Amino acid sequence: MTFPTLPSSHDSVLPTTRTPPKATPAAANRAPESLGSPQPSGSDSLTPYLTGEALIRSAIAKHRQHPATTFCKAVLAGLFLGLGAAFYQLISSGSDSLKEANPGLLKVVSAFVFPLGIISIVLTGQELLTSNMMIFPMAAIHRHVPLWGLALNWFIVFFGNLAGSLFCAAIMIHYADVFTGHYAEEVAAAAVTKCVTPQWHQIFIRAIGCNILVNIAIWQSASARETASKILGLHMPIWAFVALGYDHVVANMYIIPVGMLSGAEISIGFFIYHSLIPAFLGNVVGALILAVPFTFFFVSRPQRTGVPSENVGENLEPSRRLYQLNGSVEQGPVGRHITAASQAWTLAGESAESGEHRK
């Protein structure tokens, strides 16, 4: 296995000039250079350094996206996740003999199909609140996204996911009579078990575990270069959190309302206080448990990666570093690519300007 030679100071991948380098035919297909560890030639996955940078670029793109587009993508994400959860309920609610004989096995078997929703969300580039809970703090730590941008995105995506989940529960499942008779009774009982039986702090703790696993899945998917690997990277952690009975705030937006429509005696106020709030707060904590250390491990100060400081503009503040994406750049967890002629990373700021004046 060979490793690419690091560029010298006069041939940096981070030029201090404001004009991007001229595009070449080979540049369009070349993987983006990294501030971190070099990517091994021919590797099937991105290094953790490149994965972290891809996730931050994804957060920047989401921040610059029109709010109406963000909301519509969030609605679709809620719908997709609800359909995956409905598939899970179909198996878990229709296997009474297995539930009595081996309830643990039923949980594992039924949870296997739940990742359908999140896989669809990631591969089609929709907006899921729980993944944004990790990537936006990563971008905010380095001041590529302002705190108000983080709060605005979470607000829009929360209500978009809620709208899509409620549409799935009310129209696609309840009014379509997908679950009737015994199935409806089991769906209602599952909502009570999810929302009423556990205490507030238990839902909060379960939500922490849930979003640790969800964002491990997002990270693994972002590091993969091809679709099959992305699907596998997403599937295993999501399968685990569902089998363990952890709480995902967007999944609860579907599971509990569809149970209420099927006869579960749960009020809207109790649903908000005893499910949405602890699940939301726990999911935030779970995401931050990964976002904060991963940012400082893999996307923090350039000198930690062994790249010479003159190559990466070490003296520039993170807030001064701008990514100009004109090439083929992988867009982190959403699995998208920006296709163009070339890629240039430009640095702007007072330090760069003063350096030009000194010359």
Side-chain angles (χ1 to χ4, degrees), residues 68-93:
T69 301
T70 300
F71 181 79
C72 291
K73 288 185 174 183
V75 171
L76 289 175
L79 173 61
F80 293 171
L81 195 66
L83 292 173
F87 194 11
Y88 156 78
Q89 289 178 320
L90 178 68
I91 299 175
S92 62
S93 301

Side-chain angles (χ1 to χ4, degrees), residues 178-221:
V178 173
F179 296 140
T180 58
H182 174 72
Y183 279 98
E185 294 174 0
E186 289 292 324
V187 167
V192 172
T193 302
K194 197 73 172 172
C195 182
V196 179
T197 304
Q199 299 181 29
W200 198 97
H201 73 275
Q202 292 174 323
I203 296 176
F204 173 77
I205 295 172
R206 292 176 184 179
I208 294 174
C210 168
N211 222 20
I212 290 175
L213 288 169
V214 167
N215 283 295
I216 288 174
I218 295 298
W219 184 279
Q220 291 178 164
S221 174

Side-chain angles (χ1 to χ4, degrees), residues 130-331:
T130 47
S131 61
N132 287 4
M133 287 175 177
M134 178 180 73
I135 66 173
F136 269 79
M138 290 177 65
I141 287 172
H142 282 282
R143 290 173 283 180
H144 294 305
V145 171
L147 289 178
W148 66 261
L150 177 151
L152 178 63
N153 178 270
W154 287 7
F155 178 84
I156 294 172
V157 174
F158 177 91
F159 285 101
N161 287 166
L162 179 62
S165 300
L166 294 178
F167 176 82
C168 182
I171 306 301
M172 304 299 293
I173 302 299
H174 179 69
Y175 290 112
D177 280 340
V178 173
F179 296 140
T180 58
H182 174 72
Y183 279 98
E185 294 174 0
E186 289 292 324
V187 167
V192 172
T193 302
K194 197 73 172 172
C195 182
V196 179
T197 304
Q199 299 181 29
W200 198 97
H201 73 275
Q202 292 174 323
I203 296 176
F204 173 77
I205 295 172
R206 292 176 184 179
I208 294 174
C210 168
N211 222 20
I212 290 175
L213 288 169
V214 167
N215 283 295
I216 288 174
I218 295 298
W219 184 279
Q220 291 178 164
S221 174
S223 70
R225 291 183 178 274
E226 43 88 28
T227 303
S229 296
K230 288 180 178 293
I231 292 174
L232 183 61
L234 285 166
H235 190 275
M236 296 298 291
I238 304 302
W239 184 11
F241 103 69
V242 177
L244 290 168
Y246 285 162
D247 281 84
H248 187 280
V249 64
V250 182
N252 287 2
M253 292 175 183
Y254 161 81
I255 292 172
I256 296 171
V258 78
M260 294 165 63
L261 292 170
S262 299
E265 296 183 359
I266 302 173
S267 67
I268 295 176
F270 188 84
F271 164 53
I272 294 173
Y273 168 73
H274 208 259
S275 178
L276 286 187
I277 292 177
F280 174 84
L281 295 176
N283 285 166
V284 170
V285 173
L288 292 177
I289 287 175
L290 295 186
V292 174
F294 278 16
T295 299
F296 287 100
F297 292 163
F298 306 126
V299 201
S300 192
R301 302 296 182 262
Q303 61 267 29
R304 296 184 183 180
T305 67
V307 180
S309 61
E310 62 266 26
N311 290 340
V312 297
E314 170 182 297
N315 296 324
L316 296 180
E317 297 177 7
S319 60
R320 302 293 189 184
R321 189 174 296 122
L322 305 177
Y323 295 161
Q324 180 177 348
L325 303 176
N326 292 324
S328 179
V329 182
E330 184 164 326
Q331 292 300 298

